[in-house]
């Protein structure tokens, strides 16, 4: 079983930056894929970015060139660096990990981008 804890959300102005962190309760060497999803009010949860244990990344078209997903295996932590933030990036951001074929979710962290 995997427990995930997000941090780093907050309120920023458009054009600003934030870095989100997701700390896992066990070594991420054993987690096949980790990623970030987001859900805005009235919207479905959507993939933002993910990363396999082999280092393969994937990004939503809306964030390509602005967001970067990375990991620190020694700290069991995955990061999402968000630059050039836009008001439409406002959402609750959730960390996700797939462990032995099962998905696990964090509780989410709020990101609000003001105009």
């Amino acid at each position: 079983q995997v427990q995930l804890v997000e941090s780093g959300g907050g309120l920023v102005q458009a054009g600003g930056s934030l870095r989100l962190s997701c700390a896992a309760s066990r070594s991420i060497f054993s987690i096949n894929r980790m990623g970030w999803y987001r859900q805005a009010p009235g919207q479905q949860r959507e993939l933002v970015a993910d990363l396999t244990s082999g280092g393969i990344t994937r990004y939503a078209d809306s964030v390509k060139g602005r967001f970067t997903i990375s990991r620190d295996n020694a700290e069991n932590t995955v990061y999402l660096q968000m630059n050039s933030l836009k008001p439409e990036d406002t959402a609750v951001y959730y960390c996700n990990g797939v462990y032995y074929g099962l998905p696990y979710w964090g509780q989410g962290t709020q990101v609000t981008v003001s105009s």
Side-chain angles (χ1 to χ4, degrees):
Q1 192 175 63
V2 178
Q3 295 179 25
L4 304 172
V5 180
E6 304 99 333
S7 62
L11 173 65
V12 297
Q13 294 181 340
S17 298
L18 285 173
R19 189 181 73 161
L20 306 183
S21 299
C22 174
S25 62
R26 65 186 306 115
S27 173
I28 59 175
F29 286 121
S30 64
I31 304 175
N32 185 63
R33 178 173 58 82
M34 297 192 70
W36 291 94
Y37 291 70
R38 66 187 182 188
Q39 187 167 20
Q43 303 291 331
Q44 293 183 271
R45 190 172 297 185
E46 64 177 353
L47 173 71
V48 177
D50 63 11
L51 175 70
T52 70
S53 59
I56 305 301
T57 59
R58 180 175 59 168
Y59 296 93
D61 288 342
S62 60
V63 307
K64 287 180 179 177
R66 300 189 297 121
F67 291 9
T68 303
I69 188 169
S70 62
R71 68 188 180 202
D72 185 334
N73 291 333
E75 297 294 328
N76 296 333
T77 300
V78 173
Y79 302 97
L80 184 68
Q81 179 66 47
M82 305 186 295
N83 298 326
S84 301
L85 283 161
K86 304 175 181 179
E88 51 263 44
D89 295 318
T90 295
V92 177
Y93 284 70
Y94 297 91
C95 185
N96 169 262
V98 178
Y99 179 66
Y100 286 95
L102 297 177
Y104 295 86
W105 295 93
Q107 292 300 304
T109 185
Q110 176 71 46
V111 172
T112 302
V113 184
S114 62
S115 300

